[in-house]
Amino acid sequence: MESIVKEGSLGSILFKCQIISEDDIRAALEEQVQTGCRFGEALVKLGIVTQEDIDWALSNQLNIPYVRLKPAMVDRGTVALVPAALARQHNLMPLIRAGDELSIAIADPLNKAAVAAVEQATGCTVSISVALIREIREMQDEFYGPSETAESLGFVSANFPAAALDAINRDLSGAKLIDYLLLFIVQQKLSSLSLYPVGDAVVVAARRGGQTREIGRLSPCHYPEVVLRVRKLARIAGAGEFAARGELSFAWKGKTIAFQAALLRGEGGDHLTFRVHIAAPYPAGVADLGLSAEKARSFEALAAAQRGMILVGAREPELRCRMIDLYLQEHETAAKTVIVLGSGPGQGEKRFPRIPLSPGADLGEVLLAALEQDPDLVVMEDATDGRAFSAACKAAIRGKLVVAGVALGDIVSLFRQLLSFRDRHHLAPAYLRGVLVAREVRTLCPDCRRSEPCTPEEAKTLRLGGGGSCHRAVGCPSCDQTGIGGKRCLVDVLAIDEESRRHFETAPTAEAFLDFAKSRGWRGVEEDARDLLASGDLSPEEFAASLFT
């Protein structure tokens, strides 16, 4: 079960309480992928458990009292200590105060931000009990009075007409709000629009021309529903990650506009940012990547490999799969059996048999089964974790060519992990043929970019020596006020020959191995990015992001 859900998560707790099985967990994970809902919501939606089951399991496993709320349990003087907006924002109800200890009932006992907010507001130490969200809201209406935003989304703004505000606020799902906000981005030519909880409200802020201004506020009561709606539209599964992003589309004037939605977990709720998605054209071949002659030769050497392991790294799954497809396009696959594991790669001009992977699938077992089909080449969408990587290496040892994706966006991090796998005997260095690591950068609009001196701090951070100039763009009509000219893919290509392999087998650190590679003429993306910075195609911020994140 540990391979399916993380220790300490809701799924782990319910499993240990014998309320759900591994099959139930898999079904809920699949529901998450389809709908973007939270894990517990998926269980309830599928009829596997009731909300009472979840609350009881949490209270039992975490040794927290589970209460069924009644008015007699609530002290009105204690209720006055906690603002109604704070209680409704975090789905909690103050019960009684004893000295400096305040007892509250809360729907989510793992919500540490809620406890911290109550302690800050009251100056008391908080003890918690678990209660049903339905009963918590009943007590809130009983002691605080009916919520002014109970039947309204609570969005206020001077930038939208009254009819639009009425339509937005009557739709508690958040769908209308999202539509109007995306339309606002297009009409006002914004570079981005963000929603983030601050105090007892959710601020809606627009950014254009390098400046941010508040355009409205949203009640926090229904903000979780708005975030859930965005997750569903952008196909962002799960809710426990620190940060996530996805894409959603919006139809306007007969054309479809793609947006990127980025989520960042914060105090009081998720920080949500929309921006128009700048799509990079799919490279038709290696020549479209703009590689140097040396990198192009290294790419060709990797494409000529007949066995062993090729690793393709990128943080973004889409970019990683695009690079895998480009490799497959350059590799001679005629008269070969190719099997693709996963739904992402294999979408290029060449198509191959595909084995879809369900959430929580044991990739090692799937790979071993695929090897029974006697393939020449196996493609693995994501072999980042140790078990999957070890399985990939075993397939390479059996004489197969394995092209495996890894969720790492820079070559230093990738080789650090490879050295770790080497030391734990997950990796047989003799079978590593080379690596491709890609990341996309946003280039500046050529029409509105301007040169300006670098500050001493920028020169130091960017290692520019005595200083120098840099370029920035504030937006113009030709770039829809974004300041962005397009996207470009920076690629690290490193083929491993016999001499490189000997150094890799004994290298103490990733940096030491890459220094050896540089001594033999290898040139990484840092040099490529510096060229773009010097030519005015990259801003200093994008240059720093391409190297340090």
Side-chain angles (χ1 to χ4, degrees):
M1 194 276 299
E2 287 76 7
S3 63
I4 303 177
V5 294
K6 294 180 180 179
E7 184 66 25
S9 65
L10 175 61
S12 173
I13 291 172
L14 293 171
F15 182 82
K16 289 180 178 179
C17 291
Q18 299 184 344
I19 293 176
I20 62 175
S21 65
E22 290 191 29
D23 289 341
D24 294 333
I25 294 173
R26 291 189 178 93
L29 290 172
E30 290 176 358
E31 181 69 17
Q32 274 190 287
V33 172
Q34 295 296 321
T35 67
C37 65
R38 291 177 170 82
F39 182 77
E41 294 169 337
L43 289 171
V44 174
K45 183 177 180 180
L46 293 171
I48 296 172
V49 300
T50 64
Q51 187 62 47
E52 286 85 349
D53 291 329
I54 293 176
D55 294 337
W56 179 88
L58 285 172
S59 65
N60 182 65
Q61 190 70 19
L62 300 175
N63 197 26
I64 299 172
Y66 173 58
V67 296
R68 299 300 302 269
L69 294 179
K70 298 178 181 178
M73 301 169 63
V74 182
D75 175 62
R76 288 190 178 274
T78 301
V79 171
L81 297 174
V82 180
L86 177 61
R88 287 192 162 102
Q89 177 182 353
H90 295 292
N91 291 317
L92 61 86
M93 186 67 199
L95 300 178
I96 193 168
R97 177 182 179 181
D100 292 333
E101 183 174 338
L102 176 66
S103 176
I104 66 171
I106 190 169
D108 180 7
L110 303 177
N111 189 346
K112 296 180 181 179
V115 173
V118 174
E119 289 181 338
Q120 183 177 4
T122 63
C124 296
T125 301
V126 170
S127 63
I128 64 174
S129 301
V130 181
L132 294 173
I133 189 171
R134 171 178 53 82
E135 294 182 353
I136 289 174
R137 287 177 175 170
E138 288 175 357
M139 293 302 103
Q140 289 172 345
D141 289 346
E142 173 78 19
F143 289 90
Y144 288 115
S147 171
E148 295 180 0
T149 59
E151 299 303 323
S152 170
L153 203 62
F155 178 60
V156 294
S157 173
N159 294 273
F160 294 85
L165 289 174
D166 181 61
I168 290 170
N169 285 316
R170 282 190 286 107
D171 181 7
L172 302 184
S173 73
K176 288 289 186 183
L177 173 66
I178 295 167
D179 284 346
Y180 274 99
L181 292 182
L182 297 182
L183 178 61
F184 191 77
I185 293 173
V186 176
Q187 291 179 328
Q188 300 297 317
K189 298 187 181 300
L190 303 179
S191 58
S192 66
L193 186 144
S194 299
L195 295 85
Y196 46 86
V198 176
D200 59 354
V202 176
V203 174
V204 183
R207 187 167 180 81
R208 178 181 175 181
Q211 296 189 354
T212 302
R213 67 183 178 94
E214 182 178 322
I215 64 164
R217 294 206 164 201
L218 177 69
S219 167
C221 295
H222 293 289
Y223 185 53
E225 283 84 349
V226 174
V227 173
L228 181 61
R229 182 76 181 182
V230 172
R231 284 181 172 274
K232 182 176 181 179
L233 291 173
R235 298 183 180 274
I236 303 174
E241 67 279 4
F242 175 72
R245 65 180 179 179
E247 293 180 15
L248 65 161
S249 299
F250 178 73
W252 186 61
K253 291 187 175 181
K255 65 178 181 178
T256 299
I257 303 172
F259 289 87
Q260 181 189 85
L263 290 166
L264 179 66
R265 190 171 65 237
E267 183 175 301
D270 288 329
H271 190 130
L272 170 62
T273 294
F274 297 107
R275 58 171 53 90
V276 175
H277 178 62
I278 307 296
Y282 186 86
V286 175
D288 293 334
L289 292 174
L291 301 180
S292 65
E294 180 61 32
K295 285 190 176 184
R297 285 192 292 270
S298 295
F299 197 111
E300 291 173 3
L302 294 183
Q306 298 301 309
R307 57 182 56 84
M309 186 158 55
I310 307 292
L311 299 178
V312 180
R315 283 196 183 90
E316 302 83 0
E318 179 185 1
L319 177 58
R320 189 162 64 245
C321 293
R322 283 170 52 199
M323 290 304 299
I324 291 175
D325 286 349
L326 184 57
Y327 177 88
L328 293 175
Q329 184 171 316
E330 297 297 316
H331 184 79
E332 181 55 64
T333 56
K336 290 184 179 180
T337 300
V338 180
I339 294 181
V340 177
L341 305 184
S343 59
Q347 306 290 344
E349 293 182 3
K350 295 181 180 180
R351 296 303 175 97
F352 308 101
R354 180 187 307 280
I355 309 300
L357 300 174
S358 60
D362 188 324
L363 189 54
E365 291 183 4
V366 176
L367 179 56
L368 289 176
L371 293 179
E372 295 298 322
Q373 305 300 316
D374 195 24
D376 299 288
L377 190 158
V378 177
V379 177
M380 300 176 67
E381 181 174 352
D382 190 347
T384 309
D385 70 81
R387 291 183 63 183
F389 188 90
S390 180
C393 195
K394 290 176 181 177
I397 292 173
R398 293 175 62 170
K400 309 302 180 183
L401 177 61
V402 180
V403 180
V406 286
L408 295 169
D410 67 275
I411 199 165
V412 176
S413 297
L414 177 55
F415 270 96
R416 284 174 182 166
Q417 180 152 315
L418 289 178
L419 291 179
S420 173
F421 285 159
R422 178 201 68 183
D423 295 340
R424 288 186 285 163
H425 306 292
H426 288 316
L427 169 64
Y431 295 91
L432 180 63
R433 295 291 176 261
V435 301
L436 299 166
V437 185
R439 62 171 55 202
E440 287 179 332
V441 293
R442 295 178 296 179
T443 58
L444 292 173
C445 171
D447 294 332
C448 61
R449 66 185 181 189
R450 299 289 183 270
S451 177
E452 58 185 52
C454 286
T455 66
E457 293 78 11
E458 287 174 336
K460 181 179 179 181
T461 300
L462 303 179
R463 301 193 293 274
L464 297 179
S469 62
C470 55
H471 287 74
R472 289 185 172 88
V474 296
C476 65
S478 63
C479 63
D480 286 336
Q481 304 298 330
T482 65
I484 299 172
K487 280 188 177 181
R488 179 164 175 174
C489 193
L490 301 181
V491 185
D492 269 319
V493 187
L494 183 53
I496 306 296
D497 58 17
E498 287 303 320
E499 187 177 359
S500 298
R501 186 169 295 109
R502 287 195 297 272
H503 280 266
F504 177 73
E505 289 173 345
T506 59
T509 65
E511 290 81 358
F513 175 74
L514 293 175
D515 284 343
F516 160 76
K518 289 178 181 178
S519 72
R520 302 180 69 208
W522 174 74
R523 192 175 191 266
V525 296
E526 179 174 352
E527 288 76 18
D528 294 339
R530 287 192 182 280
D531 289 346
L532 292 174
L533 179 68
S535 65
D537 290 305
L538 283 189
S539 69
E541 293 82 7
E542 193 71 12
F543 172 79
S546 71
L547 298 181
F548 307 133
T549 61

